[in-house]
Amino acid sequence: MRDDDETESVPEHGAGGPPRWSTTEERWAAVELTIQMAIDRGEFDNLPGAGKPIEGLGTTNDPDWWIRRKIQSEDLTGLAPPAFQLRKESAEVEETLDAMWHESDVREYLEEFNKRVRHARMQLLGGPPVVTPLRDIDDDVRAWRERKKASTAAIEPAHVEAPRRWWRRTPRATD
């Protein structure tokens, strides 16, 4: 073994630049030291989100997590691949249907939605796969009817007394 292999590597200072280390361990030690000094100075105190878990960490192994989070945080529409658009629309389909008043409109919307899902599955343009399931139109219409019935029953009063007719009113006592 040569003598210069056993010598400790000392950080070299360039012309005013940061020191350069020769081994990975020295780099890790320098990074840890810098972090510890920042902690001691209090630079990590009162950061937003301190003490809270990182949102979405470890839930799935999705390679497109960053674009999904960006689209959701900025409420972007029309920019995402069809797979993302259809998935988001499928999650919100009940609210969309509840805003409709006629069964024919509900059926037409669901048929159009299924048509767009089928079309997106046939595209070979790349991008994420379309995993949005087709909607069962009869089941969705049945659920829409039940939600409509429940919402109208909650709005209507249980018993309303009919107004009395003028000829059935009791005469006023005169003085």
Side-chain angles (χ1 to χ4, degrees):
M1 246 181 163
R2 294 178 25 209
D3 286 339
D4 44 315
D5 285 342
E6 294 179 0
T7 59
E8 288 186 32
S9 56
V10 178
E12 300 174 13
H13 294 283
R20 296 184 330 177
W21 292 274
S22 62
T23 65
T24 305
E25 290 81 19
E26 288 176 345
R27 288 185 197 112
W28 279 104
V31 168
E32 289 297 323
L33 178 64
T34 305
I35 292 172
Q36 191 59 47
M37 289 169 55
I39 290 171
D40 293 342
R41 286 190 305 265
E43 293 182 16
F44 294 113
D45 295 345
N46 301 323
L47 289 175
K52 298 176 186 171
I54 297 173
E55 184 179 322
L57 184 65
T59 54
T60 60
N61 188 13
D62 184 11
D64 299 320
W65 65 271
W66 59 275
I67 189 69
R68 191 182 320 260
R69 184 176 294 170
K70 185 72 167 174
I71 290 169
Q72 183 179 19
S73 68
E74 296 192 11
D75 197 25
L76 299 175
T77 58
L79 300 176
F84 292 154
Q85 289 177 344
L86 289 170
R87 209 175 305 169
K88 182 178 181 184
E89 188 175 347
S90 179
E92 298 169 350
V93 77
E94 286 184 7
E95 294 92 22
T96 305
L97 296 179
D98 289 346
M100 297 179 184
W101 289 97
H102 302 288
E103 183 176 328
S104 60
D105 294 338
V106 172
R107 286 187 180 277
E108 183 180 331
Y109 173 80
L110 292 170
E111 288 169 2
E112 179 64 27
F113 178 80
N114 284 345
K115 182 179 174 182
R116 286 185 287 130
V117 169
R118 284 189 206 98
H119 181 72
R121 286 180 181 173
M122 291 188 296
Q123 297 299 315
L124 299 174
L125 300 176
V130 178
V131 295
T132 305
L134 294 173
R135 306 295 298 202
D136 185 341
I137 295 174
D138 293 330
D139 286 347
D140 285 340
V141 168
R142 191 175 308 112
W144 171 80
R145 273 194 221 123
E146 290 173 5
R147 288 192 306 272
K148 275 293 184 197
K149 189 185 299 183
S151 68
T152 55
I155 294 172
E156 294 177 2
H159 177 68
V160 176
E161 187 175 315
R164 296 187 70 184
R165 303 285 180 214
W166 65 271
W167 61 85
R168 293 193 180 188
R169 292 185 184 151
T170 55
R172 292 185 184 168
T174 56
D175 291 313

